[in-house]
Amino acid sequence: MHGPGYAPPPSRRPSDAALVTLRVVFVVLAIGLCGMLAWAPLIRVAVLTKKAKDWVLFALALVVVAFSLFLIGDEPTDDIDTNQEWFGLLLLLGNLIACVTYYLYADIKHFHGWSGPATYAQPQLHKQPQAYGYPPTAPTAYGQGVPHQGVTAPMHPQQQPLPTPPQQP
């Protein structure tokens, strides 16, 4: 009546076509906007894996993009002619390369171990349900107790007579 119940079914693996499409869309999105959305693939990885490391990398990518855009946009002219603007541009492009590379690595690694669509766990009808507490091994009020299936030795060893002490002359 009470107990843990059945385990929830495992999540299903998306098809290979859907995975490739998502990878292409996120990479094109990051590259197409010259690195300004380089954080977008990392948020997908962080949501998929739910690891603290991936959330930290996502936050770091956001900070790097904001800092590099600040460096580029700080000058009043539209031309990239100072060292500060060149550093901001190289930082933005380096962040783009790092984010896309890590995204492809983490996404492929995350889905590599999955094999096909998941099957739902069905209860085994031929197994007897496990009862709480110790299994019955001694005779009960209803007759002879049934030993537990996995136990090969009795739970309570039989009483043996105590050895008699040696006689002193």
Side-chain angles (χ1 to χ4, degrees):
M1 185 160 99
H2 299 288
Y6 297 118
S11 59
R12 301 187 71 165
R13 181 184 189 273
S15 68
D16 289 337
L19 287 175
V20 170
T21 303
L22 282 172
R23 289 175 189 150
V24 168
V25 165
F26 276 100
V27 169
V28 167
L29 182 71
I31 294 174
L33 291 171
C34 299
M36 288 184 281
L37 286 181
W39 52 268
L42 294 183
I43 196 167
R44 173 171 156 70
V45 169
V47 168
L48 280 177
T49 61
K50 298 177 180 76
K51 292 181 182 177
K53 175 186 79 167
D54 292 330
W55 286 106
V56 168
L57 288 175
F58 161 67
L60 183 65
L62 272 176
V63 169
V64 169
V65 167
F67 181 67
S68 61
L69 289 177
F70 170 74
L71 290 176
I72 294 171
D74 191 35
E75 295 294 321
T77 63
D78 289 340
D79 296 334
I80 296 180
D81 52 0
T82 64
N83 289 340
Q84 175 182 338
E85 290 175 327
W86 279 108
F87 179 71
L89 181 64
L90 292 177
L91 187 64
L92 189 67
L93 294 177
N95 185 44
L96 168 67
I97 292 170
C99 288
V100 167
T101 303
Y102 181 74
Y103 165 68
L104 291 174
Y105 164 76
D107 195 54
I108 291 170
K109 183 180 174 187
H110 178 73
F111 288 110
H112 178 69
W114 292 29
S115 59
T119 58
Y120 294 103
Q122 297 293 326
Q124 300 291 333
L125 299 177
H126 64 282
K127 287 187 177 182
Q128 294 178 349
Q130 184 94 16
Y132 291 112
Y134 291 108
T137 56
T140 62
Y142 300 108
Q144 182 66 27
V146 180
H148 188 265
Q149 292 175 348
V151 178
T152 57
M155 294 293 289
H156 305 285
Q158 295 178 354
Q159 294 287 338
Q160 295 183 2
L162 295 174
T164 58
Q167 299 287 334
Q168 292 185 352

